[in-house]
Amino acid sequence: MGPSDLTLRLQQLGFIQGETIWFLGRTAFQGPFLVELRGVAVALRDIEARCLEVKWIDQGSDR
Amino acid sequence: MSCPRIAVIGAPNAGKTTLYNWITGSKFRAVNYPGSTVEFALGHALSQYECPLEVIDTPGVYSLSPKSPEEEVTLRILNDEAPTGVIAVVDATQLARHLFIVHQLQEQNVPVVMALTMTDLLKKKGFEVDVKKLSEILKIPVVVVDGRLGSGVKELLLAATTISESFEFQHHQWDERTIQKTYQIIDKIITEVVSTRGSQKLQNFQRSDMTTRYIDRWVLSPWAGLPIFILILGTLFTSIFWLAQPLMDWVDIFFSFLGEQTFALVGAGLFGQFLQDGFIAGLGAVLVFVPQIFILFLGLTLLEDWGYLARAASIMDRPLSKVGLNGRSFVPLLSGFACAIPAMMAARTISSRHERFLTLFVIPLMSCSARLPVFALLLAYLFQDQAPWKPGLALAAIYILSIVLGMVAAALASRWIRSDETSFFMLELPSYRRPRLRNALKTAYQRTGHYIQRAGKAILVLSVIIWVGTVFPNYNMENPSERLATSYAAQAGHYIEPIMSPMGGDWRVGLSLVSAFAAREVFVSSLALIFNVTDDDEDSLQQGLLNSMKTATNSNGEFIFTTSTVTGLIFFFIVALQCMSTVVIAKKESESWSFALGQLGIFTVAAYLLTVLLVQALRLFGIP
């Protein structure tokens, strides 16, 4: 997969403009980011997470 | 008119394999991990449904733009296998994502019928789907299917028959705008068809369930995740030893009894000797370890069903990426502890060719179930009359060592096989499901049954060869030691002895090692045969073998099975690739004989040289 394929793949998974995602944290060893979207948690490496532009909305503990 | 051919397509973990099993009566295993199906299966609908259909089960896909070999299989089916329709399997709890593939299929003029699964789970979450309305909006039949009970399957097949028509699949790559538009349509559909129950709010529809979120807070936590990971796998591997011991004793008693009864029934003739000393002793020496293998399979099955494997893959991604592997390599590597063959097939979910080859390369280093009888025997020898937790801990250390060696091999090989490919991970973490013990027991039973069948054949064939080799030509000699020393096996074994002596073994150990290239566990049955273990005295078969090993000496009168030799043998079995089936599968998965034979050569030579070094180093430090 090249970088453009990666962006497309993220979009197919539901990472589209205006989508609300929940940041769950990171695994041990500074491993993948864990986010939740459309009812499922997804683990993303730095290189994949960097493809996303995110605006932070603080919802207290429910994130 | 030819029979309609329907492909079952959907996102990973939507319930395709479970549905396929209901339709065809197959017994493929559905696993709570994305990518558990890596190749397609073709079957016929059971006659009870009164719908003569051919059905194809496919690997899960998120879209019709494949990114890994197993996803390409699904697209190839639509292109080459000429299905006349598609059953799109949609998990009701994942409607917001799974409708994407349905929409893509429809846009490409594929006749579709939707199977809506997991509606019971959706109800538990406090939501309901208006199936009639969903069908009207999408303009396709939608049928609710219960994966646990099989209800709705007949209606689904009837609907599939009605939509069935030949079509030409034309694959188009979707751009960003089309994807965005499709998700907007899906969101609109959801607001129209999903309703809430009780105090539930519609905005929570796109959140995972509370239990999964709660467990994940611990399991994926940066500080608790790793200790939990170690605890889960540590418990699994140490329980193999201490939990199985009482069951192993029963199997041992059974084979001792069987040997005695056979001898009494058939008599002391040549055939009676073969049955008792050859086949039953050989088979019993290996099958005594079946309870351990069963516990290993049961533990792995429970982890698969629970949904933990995707989490473990996420935790391991960073460390594995340091040696050129991928977090997605974790599940194939873990499966390698059961058997390298399905493990190598599971590596297809890795999209990077470089990482997939590295994973294929190191899988044989994971200690498969065939090695378990060998380790169990050698550890029982090293830890005789000691507390049972000691061999258990030593077994856990063997598993850890095999992982460490796998990582070292991957790090070395990744320097050798360089690649400019960018590596990706991106893994969906499915909701946790309560494992059903009955199903897990059934699966573990089936896997163990396959193991016994496979091992049993190899043991039977090798037992005949080795027994003939150790008894003939002087079969009527009274003294068994003299008979063995002048046997065909001894004559052949003396050619191996110069190779074996640096490892600390003699021709008998060498012959057992050579026979283990047919199947690793044959090493144990060969030892039992060569050392002529019978149930003559009060001891059980296993104890008899251990006693024979204890007193065995080489031609110089030195003990063969010393601490250094036995440790060396354990190390040899950790590294050596002694499985012809693995070589064949490695060739198939890599599409290269050079890769498969190179792997065989590298691991065998490395195993020998490292074992010699280890044995000599131990002796240098005064360990006998």
Side-chain angles (χ1 to χ4, degrees), chain A residues 1 6 8-9 11-13 16-17 22 29-30 32 36 38-43 45 47-48 62, chain B residues 63 65 67 71 94 96 173 176 180 183 187 206-208 314 317-318 422-427 429:
Chain A
M1 271 204 295
L6 173 63
L8 204 66
R9 180 68 152 189
Q11 287 162 351
Q12 285 163 350
L13 270 174
I16 52 161
Q17 203 181 340
W22 284 267
F29 313 111
Q30 288 290 298
E36 188 186 313
R38 296 185 171 258
V40 74
V42 180
R45 274 186 181 172
I47 192 172
E48 293 148 354
D62 188 29
Chain B
S63 74
S65 309
K67 294 284 175 278
E71 289 186 344
Q94 301 289 318
Q173 189 82 11
E176 185 182 345
Q180 179 98 19
Y183 271 116
D187 287 340
Q206 300 207 10
R207 299 291 325 252
S208 61
S314 303
D317 181 55
R318 185 84 176 198
T422 316
S423 167
F424 300 105
F425 179 59
M426 209 189 308
L427 184 70
L429 311 179

Side-chain angles (χ1 to χ4, degrees), chain A residues 1-49 51 59 61-63, chain B residues 62-63 65-67 71 93-94 96-97 100 104 173-176 179-180 183 186-187 203 205-208 213 216-217 220-222 226 314-315 317-319 321 325-327 351 355 422-431:
Chain A
M1 271 204 295
S4 58
D5 279 346
L6 173 63
T7 315
L8 204 66
R9 180 68 152 189
L10 285 163
Q11 287 162 351
Q12 285 163 350
L13 270 174
F15 289 98
I16 52 161
Q17 203 181 340
E19 187 69 35
T20 306
I21 61 170
W22 284 267
F23 177 67
L24 305 175
R26 271 189 107 153
T27 60
F29 313 111
Q30 288 290 298
F33 287 98
L34 303 161
V35 296
E36 188 186 313
L37 92 157
R38 296 185 171 258
V40 74
V42 180
L44 300 172
R45 274 186 181 172
D46 288 18
I47 192 172
E48 293 148 354
C51 295
Q59 290 197 324
S61 62
D62 188 29
R63 57 185 185 150
Chain B
Y62 293 107
S63 74
S65 309
K67 294 284 175 278
E71 289 186 344
T93 65
Q94 301 289 318
R97 285 182 322 117
F100 185 83
Q104 255 194 332
Q173 189 82 11
W174 281 20
D175 58 17
E176 185 182 345
I179 295 170
Q180 179 98 19
Y183 271 116
I186 291 170
D187 287 340
Q203 64 254 40
F205 181 71
Q206 300 207 10
R207 299 291 325 252
S208 61
R213 268 187 280 164
D216 275 346
R217 268 185 202 173
L220 293 173
S221 144
L226 191 62
S314 303
I315 293 168
D317 181 55
R318 185 84 176 198
S321 66
L325 295 167
N326 189 296
S351 55
E355 289 171 341
T422 316
S423 167
F424 300 105
F425 179 59
M426 209 189 308
L427 184 70
E428 179 187 321
L429 311 179
S431 292

Side-chain angles (χ1 to χ4, degrees), chain B residues 254-576:
Chain B
F254 169 76
F255 274 98
S256 301
F257 174 76
L258 191 69
E260 283 165 18
Q261 294 303 310
T262 310
F263 195 70
L265 201 74
V266 183
L270 210 54
F271 185 61
Q273 273 180 41
F274 164 69
L275 281 182
Q276 193 196 17
D277 304 347
F279 185 60
I280 294 173
L283 196 64
V286 174
L287 293 193
V288 74
F289 301 106
V290 160
Q292 292 185 328
I293 288 155
F294 179 82
I295 289 166
L296 172 71
F297 286 149
L298 181 67
L300 289 176
T301 308
L302 288 171
L303 284 181
E304 285 169 359
D305 285 356
W306 182 37
Y308 180 71
L309 293 186
R311 273 83 185 169
S314 303
I315 293 168
M316 291 312 291
D317 181 55
R318 185 84 176 198
L320 289 176
S321 66
K322 296 283 179 201
V323 293
L325 295 167
N326 189 296
R328 284 177 181 262
S329 309
F330 174 76
V331 172
L333 293 178
L334 185 70
S335 309
F337 286 113
C339 179
I341 294 162
M344 284 193 163
M345 290 166 76
R348 288 182 202 172
T349 58
I350 303 164
S351 55
S352 152
R353 187 180 145 83
H354 172 245
E355 289 171 341
R356 194 166 64 251
F357 268 60
L358 271 185
T359 310
L360 290 176
F361 183 68
V362 299
I363 280 174
L365 284 173
M366 302 301 113
S367 286
C368 67
S369 54
R371 286 161 165 134
L372 199 50
V374 179
F375 293 149
L377 175 78
L378 297 176
L379 289 177
Y381 181 82
L382 282 181
F383 294 95
Q384 276 189 83
D385 307 321
Q386 294 191 39
W389 62 266
K390 285 187 183 173
L393 204 66
L395 186 68
I398 287 175
Y399 281 115
I400 292 166
L401 181 64
S402 72
I403 295 167
V404 171
L405 286 173
M407 298 307 102
V408 171
L412 291 172
S414 69
R415 284 166 188 264
W416 179 41
I417 320 167
R418 286 213 164 267
S419 164
D420 296 330
E421 253 182 322
T422 316
S423 167
F424 300 105
F425 179 59
M426 209 189 308
L427 184 70
E428 179 187 321
L429 311 179
S431 292
Y432 289 104
R433 289 179 201 157
R434 189 189 302 167
R436 279 176 289 173
L437 189 63
R438 204 175 144 211
N439 283 4
L441 285 168
K442 201 170 137 193
T443 306
Y445 173 75
Q446 283 168 349
R447 284 176 168 186
T448 311
H450 290 147
Y451 170 84
I452 295 171
Q453 273 179 8
R454 187 185 59 80
K457 279 180 205 162
I459 291 164
L460 177 63
V461 173
L462 267 296
S463 293
V464 174
I465 294 170
I466 291 175
W467 183 81
V468 168
T470 51
V471 169
F472 290 90
N474 302 316
Y475 64 93
N476 45 9
M477 248 182 202
E478 285 292 314
N479 187 334
S481 306
E482 273 181 41
R483 188 176 62 191
L484 183 67
T486 56
S487 68
Y488 291 133
Q491 290 164 33
H494 288 303
Y495 290 106
I496 311 168
E497 201 154 75
I499 304 168
M500 285 311 299
S501 50
M503 275 175 69
D506 71 340
W507 69 270
R508 290 170 291 183
V509 180
L511 208 63
S512 303
L513 273 184
V514 171
S515 68
F517 274 89
R520 288 178 177 103
E521 53 278 80
V522 171
F523 176 76
V524 177
S525 58
S526 299
L527 275 185
L529 262 158
I530 292 171
F531 286 100
N532 196 27
V533 176
T534 52
D535 195 39
D536 293 340
D537 47 23
E538 299 290 307
D539 297 326
S540 64
L541 277 173
Q542 195 193 352
Q543 194 54 49
L545 180 53
L546 291 174
N547 290 343
S548 298
M549 287 166 69
K550 213 172 179 177
T551 52
T553 51
N554 61 20
S555 50
N556 301 328
E558 296 158 341
F559 287 114
I560 298 169
F561 294 96
T562 59
T563 306
S564 59
T565 315
V566 174
T567 312
L569 278 173
I570 291 175
F571 190 79
F572 183 85
F573 273 93
I574 293 175
V575 182

Side-chain angles (χ1 to χ4, degrees), chain B residues 113-116 131-132 134-136 138 140-144 156:
Chain B
V113 52
M114 187 201 289
L116 193 65
V131 177
K132 199 168 161 244
L134 183 63
S135 170
E136 281 168 10
L138 294 173
I140 56 168
V142 178
V143 181
V144 174
L156 180 74

